[in-house]
């Protein structure tokens, strides 16, 4: 089995989805954000999880895309809240159209996500929807916590991990859980899949934080140091704020409060503080822990060894990514 | 049967609903907007429709509240888009908190609505959710059309009716349809209920437009003429724009373009133009038509006469309201 087949199935089905017709101001932004692309990581996880237990993984395609549509809905609304001008290098919906349209198109996308999820078979419909709804609410909780953290300097590691767990990881967990559920896996198995997705998801987000500072500029798609320039409260900054003492702490806080600065100089200075505090090693260790937990969860899943290998290979790519 | 029992059941259950706990910034606005009140018209329609066919109307209470939560979600997001400072005399969520919180709390409310709807029994779950999702998307379409109309002076009656059908009436139709569905009514019956709710809903919205101009100030809760002052594109204004000719049309357009005016003077002048064009009679006639269609739909519903009387009495109150 070539995993590209899963990707092609998703892309093919994405072309066929009718989000709606009229008025175009409402539906064009949905087509736009869905067409910008992305790695389709979440629905791929759903299909791979389904394939662990059934040859008929195709029946998971529409429900898998529910997760992709939901994910893009959160991006559309988050971009309004973050006043982000660009998403994957293209103008965000509220920039290209306006804020009201981004609010309302996003609302319809959340409805569209539920509509796609209604393609789950009758005997699994209620649990699929209940768990999706719980997950969707958690993603919103994570976004709210993230916004709350913007005005706080005393966020702890525990609080931060809990935030990314909600904002990012639960949806990866649910993507896998849903695939298992649709394919008829038992509760214990879907719980292992969920936990695996969640742990990989936390590691994935921490890696995102790490790459922003220590990524290879030649391989990393975005500007290295972007989070430092923006004072973004990443795992690295939170750890540095907790651990720095004396003059090093004063220096760090000085950079955070600096209004007018040379970007390259700030990136270099803050990175140097991270280096002195061993933040890179600490972050890598924590990423390693979460990924290890995730793979332990996957080991506990009873399924055909070759099919499990596919899923584990895919998860490894997420782990080892450099962009 | 005293209809107050339905209202009390809804209020009692509303007290018991847990929208979520943490973070409070996300969930307090939901409790706030649900506590501001309102007539609970939509869930009342659901319970009355269920009671037509079953003594166990209580099983419709949570699904009925899904509609009320959904309706309040649309109010929360519409108020952002309309930059409305007040809702039912209280500060709107984006005013009391901020826009981001109003976006995100609204998103969770839409999820909460689906969670409440998941209390529908298994054999009716899929149709209940499919029809709800279709209706929810239509309500968003109606809101988008309403926003589109703001910048147009050539909106036709047909376009306007189609907009209010989507923005307001389909949800009233669905409220009745859902009650019938839950109580085990057949497709033909739920379709009559839906059509009845929709027609009453169009009449209800047209009556809203009418009362804003011709309401009794002693009975009408809001300022009479508010729509005229704001150049709101109501049924009355659209008809007047279509029908006025020559100097009367110039006078009307003059008032619409006036930036600086005495409010009472504008209300009086535009009302006088409406009077000269017979807009009041035309609007009343159209309201009468939609209400008559709605009651014809209800007549076609085969159910116990006394129970039907309850529903028809309630609909009559909506028809005859003066505020």
């Amino acid at each position: 089995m070539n995993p590209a087949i899963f990707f092609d199935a998703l892309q093919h089905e994405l072309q066929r989805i009718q989000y709606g017709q009229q008025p175009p101001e409402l539906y064009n932004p949905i087509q736009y954000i869905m067409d910008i692309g992305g790695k389709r990581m979440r629905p791929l996880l759903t299909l791979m999880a389904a394939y662990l237990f059934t040859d008929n993984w195709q029946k998971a395609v529409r429900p898998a895309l529910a997760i992709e549509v939901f994910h893009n809905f959160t991006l559309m609304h988050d971009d309004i809240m973050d006043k982000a001008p660009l998403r994957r290098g293209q103008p965000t919906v509220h920039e290209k159209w306006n804020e009201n349209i981004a609010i309302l198109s996003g609302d319809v996308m959340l409805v569209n996500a539920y509509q796609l999820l209604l393609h789950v078979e009758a005997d699994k419909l209620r649990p699929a929807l209940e768990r999706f709804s719980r997950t969707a609410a958690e993603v919103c909780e994570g976004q709210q916590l993230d916004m709350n953290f913007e005005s706080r300097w005393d966020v702890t590691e525990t609080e931060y991990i809990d935030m990314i767990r909600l904002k990012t990881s639960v949806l990866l967990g649910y993507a896998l859980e849903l695939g298992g559920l649709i394919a008829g896996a038992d509760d214990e198995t879907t719980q292992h899949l969920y936990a695996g997705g969640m742990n990989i998801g936390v590691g994935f987000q921490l890696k995102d934080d790490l790459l922003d500072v220590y990524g290879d500029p030649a391989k990393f798609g975005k500007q290295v140091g972007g989070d430092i320039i923006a004072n973004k409260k990443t795992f690295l900054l939170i750890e540095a704020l907790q651990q720095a003492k004396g003059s090093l702490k004063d220096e760090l806080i000085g950079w955070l409060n600096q209004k007018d600065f040379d970007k390259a100089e700030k990136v270099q200075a803050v990175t140097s503080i991270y280096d002195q505090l061993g933040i890179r090693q600490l972050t890598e260790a924590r990423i390693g822990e979460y990924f290890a937990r995730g793979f332990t969860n996957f080991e506990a899943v009873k399924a055909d060894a070759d099919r499990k290998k596919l899923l584990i290979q895919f998860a490894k790519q997420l782990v080892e990514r450099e962009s």
Side-chain angles (χ1 to χ4, degrees), chain A:
Chain A
M1 183 68 171
N2 182 341
I5 292 173
F6 296 133
F7 187 81
D8 293 344
L10 292 169
Q11 292 298 104
H12 177 76
E13 193 62 28
L14 272 174
Q15 298 307 316
R16 291 188 51 219
I17 293 177
Q18 288 283 353
Y19 302 101
Q21 301 278 352
Q22 292 291 333
E25 294 84 359
L26 192 61
Y27 291 108
N28 290 352
I30 301 179
Q31 198 66 57
Y32 173 78
I33 197 168
M34 293 303 296
D35 286 349
I36 292 181
K39 296 182 285 288
R40 315 295 186 202
M41 183 169 83
R42 292 159 191 81
L44 281 171
L45 288 172
T46 304
L47 296 189
M48 288 185 184
Y51 183 61
L52 290 178
F53 312 102
T54 179
D55 289 330
N56 183 14
W57 53 268
Q58 286 88 347
K59 67 179 172 181
V61 169
R62 288 209 152 219
L65 290 175
I67 299 179
E68 184 68 9
V69 170
F70 173 79
H71 173 60
N72 279 274
F73 142 73
T74 66
L75 299 181
M76 199 188 280
H77 276 192
D78 286 3
D79 284 342
I80 307 171
M81 299 181 224
D82 301 342
K83 304 198 188 304
L86 296 174
R87 163 70 57 190
R88 297 172 189 142
Q90 302 291 319
T92 45
V93 168
H94 65 275
E95 283 285 328
K96 193 173 162 75
W97 283 271
N98 60 52
E99 257 194 37
N100 284 358
I101 283 178
I103 293 172
L104 204 56
S105 288
D107 291 346
V108 179
M109 285 184 88
L110 179 48
V111 173
N112 287 153
Y114 274 101
Q115 286 175 314
L116 287 164
L117 204 51
L118 287 171
H119 287 87
V120 170
E121 287 168 306
D123 58 328
K124 287 135 192 167
L125 187 58
R126 191 188 304 272
L129 288 162
E130 279 176 351
R131 292 284 305 118
F132 175 73
S133 298
R134 182 68 236 136
T135 303
E138 286 176 343
V139 171
C140 295
E141 291 168 7
Q143 168 68 3
Q144 184 63 52
L145 288 173
D146 199 12
M147 293 195 294
N148 290 353
F149 289 175
E150 280 171 24
S151 54
R152 284 182 48 196
W153 292 110
D154 60 347
V155 178
T156 64
E157 178 180 326
T158 308
E159 286 180 308
Y160 183 74
I161 298 280
D162 193 48
M163 183 275 284
I164 60 176
R165 188 182 65 76
L166 292 166
K167 185 169 171 171
T168 304
S169 314
V170 293
L171 192 61
L172 298 186
Y174 177 73
L176 286 168
E177 177 187 359
L178 178 64
L181 177 73
I182 290 170
D186 60 26
D187 282 359
E188 196 195 323
T189 304
T190 56
Q191 279 163 29
H192 287 310
L193 286 167
Y194 177 76
M198 182 125 97
N199 283 316
I200 298 284
V202 172
F204 182 82
Q205 183 59 48
L206 294 180
K207 182 115 189 192
D208 209 60
D209 289 359
L210 184 76
L211 286 173
D212 190 85
V213 179
Y214 293 106
D216 179 346
K219 296 178 186 165
F220 190 60
K222 293 173 280 185
Q223 180 187 21
V224 169
D227 289 347
I228 291 176
I229 293 165
N231 279 356
K232 187 150 181 267
K233 234 151 268 163
T234 66
F235 183 82
L236 287 76
L237 178 54
I238 284 164
E239 287 296 337
L241 280 166
Q242 300 269 319
Q243 299 197 13
K245 304 272 174 264
S247 65
L248 205 59
K249 179 147 198 173
D250 294 342
E251 198 195 331
L252 178 57
I253 289 174
W255 278 109
L256 295 173
N257 288 328
Q258 198 79 259
K259 295 268 173 265
D260 205 32
F261 54 82
D262 179 82
K263 286 180 184 177
E265 198 186 337
K266 179 173 175 180
V267 171
Q268 198 183 18
V270 174
T271 304
S272 159
I273 296 169
Y274 290 170
D275 289 343
Q276 292 169 65
L277 293 166
I279 299 295
R280 179 179 189 160
Q281 293 73 13
L282 174 69
T283 309
E284 284 173 341
R286 202 63 89 243
I287 292 169
E289 284 164 33
Y290 279 100
F291 282 150
R293 279 189 223 173
F295 288 111
T296 304
N297 297 132
F298 291 151
E299 275 165 33
V301 172
K302 291 185 193 69
D304 173 82
D306 283 342
R307 297 189 178 200
K308 252 175 79 171
K309 219 167 122 182
L310 258 188
L311 172 63
I312 287 170
Q313 289 291 355
F314 183 72
K316 283 229 166 91
Q317 285 174 33
L318 299 180
V319 171
E320 288 158 8
R321 75 203 175 96
E322 300 199 54
S323 68

